[in-house]
Amino acid sequence: MAERSFVEEVKKLRLGAGDIFSGEGILAVTKGLLESGVAYVAGYQGAPISHLMDVLADAQDILTEQGIRFENSASEATAAATLAASVNYPLRGAVTFKATVGTNVASDALANLASGGVTGGALIIVGEDYGEGSSIMQERSHAFAMKSQMWLLDPRPNLPSIVDAVKQGFDLSEASSTPVMLQLRIRACHVHGQFVASDNVPPKFTLKDAMESPQRDVSRIVLPPASFVHEQEKVKDRWPAAVRFIEERKLNEFFGDGTDDVGVIVQGGSYNTMMRALERLGLADVYGNSKVPLYVMNVAYPVIDSEVLRFCEGKRAVLLVEEGQPNFIEQNIATILRQAGVTAALHGKDMLPVAGEYTAAVLLKGAREFFERYGRVASLAVPAPVRKVIPLIEVPAAPVAAELPLPPLEDSVHARPPGFCTGCPERPIFSAMKLVERELGPHHISADIGCHLFSILPPFHLGNTTMGYGLGAAGAAALNVPAGKRAISMMGDGGFWHNGLTSGIANAVFNRSDNLTIVVDNNYTSATGGQDILSSKANNPTRSTGHEIEQAVRGVGVKWVKTMRRTYDVAGMRDLLRDALTTKEKGPKVLIAQSECMLNKQRREKPLVRKAVAEGQRVVREKFGIDSDTCTGDHSCIRLSGCPSLSIKPNPDPLRTDPIATVLDSCVGCGNCGDVSHAAVLCPSFYKAQVVSNPSGWDKLLERVRGAVIGWMQRGDAKRRERFAF
Amino acid sequence: MNATQPIKIAILAMGGEGGGVLADWIVDLGEHNGYIAQTTSVPGVAQRTGATIYYVELYPEARAKADGGKPVLALMPLPGDVDLVLASELMEAGRAVQRGLVTQDRTTLIASTHRVYSIAEKSAMGDGRVDSQQLVNHANKAAKRFIRFDMAQAAEQAGSVISAVLFGALAGSGVLPFSRAQFEATVERGGVGVKPSLKAFGGAFEWVQSGSEADAPTAALPARAAPAPKDPQVRALVERVQREFPEFAHFLLLEGVRRLIDYQDVAYAGIYLDRMAKVHALQLNDGGRLVESTARHLALWMSYEDTARVAALKTRSTRFERVRSESSAKADQVVAINEYMHPRLQEICETLPGGIGRWLMNSGVPRRIVERMTQKGRVVQTSSVHGYLLLRCVAAAARWRRSTTRFAEENRFIEQWLERIAQTAAINPALALEIAECQRLVKGYSDTHVRGLRNYELVMGAAQRAGSALAPATLRELRDAALADEHGNKLRDVLARYALA
């Protein structure tokens, strides 16, 4: 496991009725699940919903007490398929993953699930990684809800609304026999707030009940003729049932003074930002009391025709705030208004940007345009155009010391692309790859999803494409003809078990590929927070770990498999890479590069080391350093590393001007610097200091002897130098 | 409608710098003292060294109760609508300004002035650093009030982290309606590293309260003591500098003399001054720039880095002390120093006395044996008697340095370079200065040195072909191009553009 403990968070899951829950949005969802009588939860980790998975993994005792099963799914497809338990049985189930990448992977299972429909409530919690800081392609989960006809909730981003959406979501799912997606944007997942908790509710019907008295209903299985019936059911039964439920429970909200003839329709998730824009325009106060009527769609799909018509009736114009593209809701509402002959003008992507995140600044600009057009706010004074004329000025008698204009700030503010952490075991893999590149020239590199993708950024600049999680090897599948060079594919251990073993490795075996795949094995899925997977080294009481990647690779028929057990050995890594790229042996080559994720390792080991030192045990700490008088400031070492702890500082040498390299205090002594300077024959400036705390008697004796001999010689040396000093 | 506004706070930090801790502290501070607090962030991949923003809003609970409402708090800052910006580093403060979060009508900006260099700054082949003063100027212009000091240093002194210093500076700024005791109670509730955190907090609080908003005045550099050589030969050299050269050049020339005595001996430093005398004799009317530049670069070239030099520097007592301090070793800790050396045949031949070196380089079997033996790098423990003696022996090779093949080679380059400077100075002094500066290209060890020398020769070759018709700015452009990338792509482009290839 992540070497992190979620004990504090787990305590919050035990809160009872009336207690105040204070914490993160995604944790509130977790509590909401327990209060809804959920029988099972499954999911696949990834920002921004990793926290939900981590907390549940640490809350096994509470889950067991409540009779809830928690599955760490192999992939999002596995997670979605897990919801099959709710098809025949009145079992409430929830799955979670990041979107849209997770929804993509899950879509086959989701489509099958949505076709047959569900008996027990099925909730799909998607963490929408969209906008600033996102690491994935910018798309909407909305399309998946539409194509499979699942309902999509997009609640206002405050904890009471989010928790309410969880509970209503299960009810809606059961009322309409349809799986429900709950979409949470990244900021909503991480928002800190409070809500009043309720008691946890154990499931009424249990998984054990289901297993011991199985039920079967052929009409729920996706096979003709049932599949054709499902399509009809969706529009004739389930949709109307959902609409009735949403209307009755008032899941969508109406705010503001209903008498005005202009209004705003906003998705729940964008509500807070939109309110801030209205408040800035003087159209609302800080409590959300608005002068203009608002229709807040906490249900993004389906659109409720009756509510839209009620809101738009008698209005001159409405502004629709719909983040992302295509503008599904806008098209839908336009149809509703047109068919009903409502004359209200519909504005949306004509005033707001078609694509991109709807930030506060963007919404303020769009709202201003709308309300200026309809006379609700005065237009900002437009500065009169300045006519360019040659000014007649007198030459000043004495030159005035004019303030120099500042050079543009853009020149001084650099991008900070993400990179490998201090001591990351993946860094030496790419350092070695750079060295091989010097010998054999550049290769096509098919990258994968994971921290190793940072290799495409400075300083490594390695990697040509990335096609999705676990698809590194698959991404090089076409490059499979006799050629002078082999293609290289990257894959993480997470991606390997997610699908890479079959989509990449087995595929390469079957199609007689001659390429190289590097599997980066960090002992767990590092990028998503250190969750255990099959090949984890950790002893996990509730999961089976320790299944070697090498065995799996051999099992599907790869003959050339090498495992590097210490990636920090840059020269060894380089030699293996060279061998894999030049060997005469045909068939796919797999190189497994193993070393534990340093971020998680440090989280575990730092406190242990501190404790050992305090207890008086002999502890050796290693730290790298650079001699300032031998470093010439070329920074080759930085270009082969990019370590956050390897930086620069002003040159203390009065004769030199280029800054020299320096190792910051945050160095963990991983050894990469030394190995790179050896393997790349860089420069002799690196040293490794071994600092021994609580030295033994032998250490002290040795130190005294060395001090005496070396000190004597050094003193003589210093005296000679002193003679000529001035 | 009610006019009370939430307090809006943006925190700009890099992943792992404690921006999240700071945001949590502010939330806790608010919630314990009558405020409704909300915070959110977009960590994502920014956790791994990228830049990220945490955003906090605080609203008085009593006010909300009186008004009978619940505030709708925003999840992201609106440019022009932020009261307080906290930045854990100077470039991040610049980023806040760039994003429009810092405005003169209301924003208090609290930032550390230390720099965490960006990868572009770090990986440049020469000096890629941005000018900190520009960042300060922009921030100063944008903010209503700009509180700044080196918080990394303050944190280190207190044995704590930057977030605690920022929290203290925030308390000291008086922008938030909470007392020092309320701030401190928050840190205590956090329960992790309370004592050092409070120390860092207190230091920052008092520093800001004392009203020293702008940078602490940089202590004037201690005036360099007048040189007081003890050795008569050295004294002669110092006096020669003072007598024969203009005063503005004394500093660099004396540094050069000092360097070369340390590198070789007094006589070698004398050669340096002989060479410089010729440059000075050119009597250019360029404000002494050529003399200064040549003084600097000639000293560096004459003290080129070879194995003996490296060994000498690594075995000094001052260096042992420096390693101890850089590794933050305490008095009761034992420190071992391990060097990463990779001498190859080339370096060994260059270190051996001239004849032996040449023989080995051109020999058959012995050469191959040495080559085989030097394929891997070696780790030498200088702090052990054995390792120390080994390096001392290597350092002793300086004695016959002047007979080595490397010395002859470097000397040839130096003479050519000086010759070219002198010739060019007669026609175009500005161009001569650019030629002098080109020594900057030759630096480093092994491959780096080979690459540098190759670039130097390419640039010099181009200058030679172009002759006096070459514009000084073009030569400068060529030099910058040579430092643009490792593969020489930019240099090739520029050479082609000026038809100098």
Side-chain angles (χ1 to χ4, degrees), chain A residues 47-100:
Chain A
I49 55 81
S50 279
H51 210 159
L52 194 163
M53 301 284 296
D54 294 337
V55 172
L56 285 180
D58 270 11
Q60 299 282 346
D61 50 339
I62 301 181
L63 299 182
T64 315
E65 281 166 30
Q66 299 272 317
I68 301 169
R69 172 69 195 162
F70 171 60
E71 283 271 313
N72 287 98
S73 306
S75 73
E76 294 87 350
T78 313
T82 307
L83 289 172
S86 296
V87 171
N88 292 305
Y89 311 101
L91 288 165
R92 285 191 164 185
V95 300
T96 187
F97 35 76
K98 78 178 288 173
T100 55

Side-chain angles (χ1 to χ4, degrees), chain B residues 106-124:
Chain B
R106 58 191 287 193
T107 316
T108 300
L109 172 62
I110 303 177
S112 175
T113 51
H114 83 287
R115 287 298 328 281
V116 175
Y117 295 108
S118 71
I119 188 70
E121 292 177 287
K122 292 201 296 186
S123 56

Side-chain angles (χ1 to χ4, degrees), chain A residues 414 416 427 459 633-639 641-649 659-662 664, chain B residues 49 115-129:
Chain A
H414 292 173
R416 290 207 196 263
R427 173 174 295 110
D634 168 72
H635 315 138
S636 280
C637 51
I638 292 173
R639 289 191 292 278
S641 158
C643 178
S645 298
L646 184 56
S647 189
I648 49 174
K649 68 176 181 191
I660 54 165
T662 182
L664 305 179
Chain B
T49 72
R115 287 298 328 281
V116 175
Y117 295 108
S118 71
I119 188 70
E121 292 177 287
K122 292 201 296 186
S123 56
M125 285 168 68
D127 189 355
R129 291 171 297 177

Side-chain angles (χ1 to χ4, degrees), chain A residues 217-238:
Chain A
D217 180 357
V218 179
S219 73
R220 294 302 104 211
I221 299 171
V222 184
L223 202 68
S227 42
F228 300 106
V229 179
H230 294 164
E231 194 189 5
Q232 298 296 331
E233 270 179 25
K234 277 181 179 175
V235 292
K236 288 184 180 147
D237 305 332
R238 301 186 208 161

